[in-house]
Amino acid sequence: MSVNQQDLDPDSTTDMEDVTNAEEELIKECEEMWNDMEECQKKLSLVGTETLTDSNAQSSLLIMQAKCLTAELSQWQKESPEIIPLNEEILVTLGKEEFQKLRHDLELVLSTIQSKNEKLKEDLEREQQWFDEQQQILESLNVLHNELKHQVLIFSESRIFGELKTKMHDIKEYKEKLLVTLGEFLEDHFPLPDRNVKKKKKKKNIQESTVQLITLHEMLEILLNRLFDVPHDPYVKISDSFWPPYVELLLRNGIALRHPEDPTRIRLEAFHQ
Amino acid sequence: MSVLRPLDKQPGLNTATILLVGTEDALLQQLADSMLKEDCASELKVHLARSLPLPSNVNRPRIDLIMFVVNLHSKYSLRNVEESLRHVDATFFLGKVGFLATGAGRESQCSVHRSTVVRLARTYRSPLLFCDPEVDGFRVPVAQRLVRMLQICAGHVPGVSALNLLSLLRSSENPTLEDL
């Protein structure tokens, strides 16, 4: 199994003498090999044939393959490599062929790698673009996120604050309005007795009330304040400045209550409880 | 009963001959055409046959590689191949025989199970290839493989013999020792 001489074209077209010599040498070698082959062929034709059946196929084939492999192995070990005749022309031709093959292969490799390179460059560009876009998106999203975060905080705090403030303000206003309305109502409908009404009554029957009478409004205020200042003892002593008819009015209508043990003390009914 | 022998004649100069045995003519023709389209350093000759034994009156060159083509859609082709195997000399099976199974792609139409063909190839210790010749994409690589195998079996590749190729092809298959 030496170099494949059958591939070498023996019809080279140069006319130098040593070329024809080389040619003749090669042709002679080829002829010798062919004769060897014919002899082997003759020997082979003497070997009998043998066919296989399914049952014995595997085992007989395995044995045969093993034998042949060992024979081949020993052949390889025995053989020493032959070299082609060291003629310059032959070597040059062979060398040229080898180099041509090499060049062809390298060109293939080059073109493949180049196209791969280009594709990779394109991919890289595309990925870079995509990456840049993503970065931009990320940045803008971050900015947006920060703004929103800020807003949410401030917004919620200030809103609650504002709401409470307005609520309180409204309530205070309402309270003021109520008090004003109450005061006006009481003035209109429950005025203090005028001293001049004493005309019809004799001065002797009227007790000299030197104490200044307070209005119903003020009375209610006293009761109210007492109720909220001292919740556990909301009782107020009926003083002379309370006009008795109004006291009676409050008691009869359930707005004020007497102290259970002391008739001189009254309190405001706790409507809020 | 003429039996096909591997090295019965002198080889032609720089020629390699393959014999495709199978019942489907169109299939074999397609495969033969794809193989001949491949450019290769040696001259290729493709012979097609329905079954063995071959008619003895024809003068034909030495056969370097036999591929038995089994169509998985028909049991008849399998039986035909099994019959033809009896007319092949035992020494052919040292790497110069291969099995090609077609039609494995359409599982629903397979009347021959894949494992049957696998077992057949294992019994005869030969490589098994799968191919769907209708699909162009499959046909060309299989044709290339066959051309390469043929070159080696004809001895055109220095340093590799048919038996070596056989050992190389076997290593990827069943590493477990099944029914021996």
Side-chain angles (χ1 to χ4, degrees), chain B residues 6 9-20 35-36 42-48 54 59-67 92 96 146-147 149-151 153-156:
Chain B
K9 298 189 187 110
Q10 287 265 38
L13 275 181
N14 208 30
T15 44
T17 316
I18 180 174
L19 174 68
L20 296 172
M35 280 183 72
L36 290 173
S42 356
E43 208 184 295
L44 294 180
K45 288 208 174 123
V46 183
H47 282 243
L48 308 174
L54 300 173
N59 182 20
R60 71 177 66 80
R62 165 182 102 159
I63 308 265
D64 295 311
L65 174 63
I66 304 182
M67 285 302 285
F92 241 119
K96 297 201 175 174
L146 287 179
V147 166
M149 273 175 75
L150 177 59
Q151 277 188 305
C153 292
H156 292 187

Side-chain angles (χ1 to χ4, degrees), chain A residues 4 7 34 37-38 41 44-45 47 49-54 57-58 61-62 64-65 68-69 72 76, chain B residues 3 5 7-11 86 88-90 93-94 122-125 156 159 161 163-164 166 179-180:
Chain A
N4 217 338
D7 286 346
W34 193 254
M37 275 182 71
E38 278 190 3
Q41 194 65 43
L44 273 171
S45 55
V47 175
T49 61
E50 170 197 339
T51 54
L52 303 167
T53 60
D54 273 351
Q58 275 222 56
L61 274 179
L62 278 171
M64 211 191 334
Q65 280 175 0
C68 287
L69 277 171
E72 239 182 89
W76 272 109
Chain B
V3 170
R5 298 186 53 204
L7 299 167
D8 50 355
K9 298 189 187 110
Q10 287 265 38
R86 287 187 230 291
V88 177
D89 183 38
F93 290 98
L94 296 172
R122 207 183 307 144
T123 320
Y124 285 93
R125 315 298 300 177
H156 292 187
S161 74
L163 202 48
N164 293 355
L166 191 62
D179 43 356
L180 244 180

Side-chain angles (χ1 to χ4, degrees), chain B residues 18-143:
Chain B
I18 180 174
L19 174 68
L20 296 172
V21 179
T23 48
E24 324 265 317
D25 292 331
L27 217 86
L28 298 184
Q29 191 64 46
Q30 278 178 327
L31 210 51
D33 290 334
S34 333
M35 280 183 72
L36 290 173
K37 280 201 201 109
E38 295 291 322
D39 58 332
C40 115
S42 356
E43 208 184 295
L44 294 180
K45 288 208 174 123
V46 183
H47 282 243
L48 308 174
R50 273 273 170 93
S51 67
L52 299 175
L54 300 173
S56 47
N57 46 2
V58 180
N59 182 20
R60 71 177 66 80
R62 165 182 102 159
I63 308 265
D64 295 311
L65 174 63
I66 304 182
M67 285 302 285
F68 288 102
V69 180
V70 179
N71 185 4
L72 287 180
H73 298 181
S74 94
K75 285 206 173 83
Y76 170 60
S77 75
L78 178 68
R79 237 180 311 129
N80 178 44
V81 160
E82 281 174 352
E83 275 293 317
S84 317
L85 277 169
R86 287 187 230 291
H87 300 276
V88 177
D89 183 38
T91 43
F92 241 119
F93 290 98
L94 296 172
K96 297 201 175 174
V97 168
F99 292 93
L100 184 66
T102 65
R106 278 179 282 171
E107 195 67 32
S108 52
Q109 295 183 359
C110 286
S111 48
V112 177
H113 202 266
R114 201 176 152 272
S115 57
T116 322
V117 195
V118 170
R119 215 178 331 121
L120 181 67
R122 207 183 307 144
T123 320
Y124 285 93
R125 315 298 300 177
S126 300
L128 172 64
L129 303 178
F130 287 93
C131 175
D132 254 336
E134 293 95 36
V135 185
D136 222 4
F138 281 157
R139 206 182 333 143
V140 170
V142 168

Side-chain angles (χ1 to χ4, degrees), chain A residues 87-217:
Chain A
N87 195 299
E88 198 179 295
E89 272 301 317
I90 301 176
L91 287 174
V92 163
T93 328
L94 273 178
K96 266 197 232 169
E97 263 188 41
E98 288 284 333
F99 273 119
Q100 296 257 14
K101 244 192 294 177
L102 186 65
R103 195 183 76 158
H104 180 72
D105 288 342
L106 285 175
E107 274 175 7
L108 275 179
V109 169
L110 178 66
S111 61
T112 332
I113 293 198
Q114 272 177 346
S115 63
K116 248 197 171 168
N117 231 358
E118 276 181 31
K119 218 162 60 105
L120 279 175
K121 273 194 205 146
E122 277 174 31
D123 282 346
L124 179 66
E125 251 187 62
R126 208 172 349 115
E127 294 285 325
Q128 191 69 33
Q129 242 184 25
W130 189 76
F131 179 64
D132 289 337
E133 278 175 24
Q134 294 287 328
Q135 287 275 51
Q136 277 182 13
I137 292 175
L138 183 66
E139 271 177 38
S140 53
L141 279 178
N142 267 337
V143 164
L144 205 64
H145 171 69
N146 284 336
E147 277 178 22
L148 282 175
K149 216 167 37 166
H150 229 30
Q151 260 184 30
V152 162
L153 275 176
I154 296 175
F155 195 43
S156 60
E157 272 184 32
S158 63
R159 190 162 48 120
I160 294 175
F161 211 45
E163 272 178 20
L164 283 176
K165 263 168 101 169
T166 42
K167 247 189 183 175
M168 274 189 60
H169 185 72
D170 287 341
I171 289 176
K172 277 190 189 149
E173 262 192 39
Y174 189 53
K175 185 182 96 172
E176 288 302 320
K177 206 170 84 169
L178 282 176
L179 286 175
V180 162
T181 326
L182 179 67
E184 282 176 10
F185 176 74
L186 288 177
E187 251 189 60
D188 283 344
H189 299 274
F190 300 97
L192 273 181
D194 204 5
R195 298 288 162 151
N196 297 340
V197 183
K198 298 182 229 162
K199 278 185 208 167
K200 288 190 181 173
K201 303 189 180 166
K202 289 189 179 175
K203 284 191 185 173
K204 300 175 224 173
N205 297 340
I206 299 168
Q207 297 164 357
E208 278 289 325
S209 46
T210 48
V211 182
Q212 185 70 0
L213 287 175
I214 57 175
T215 59
L216 185 58
H217 191 166

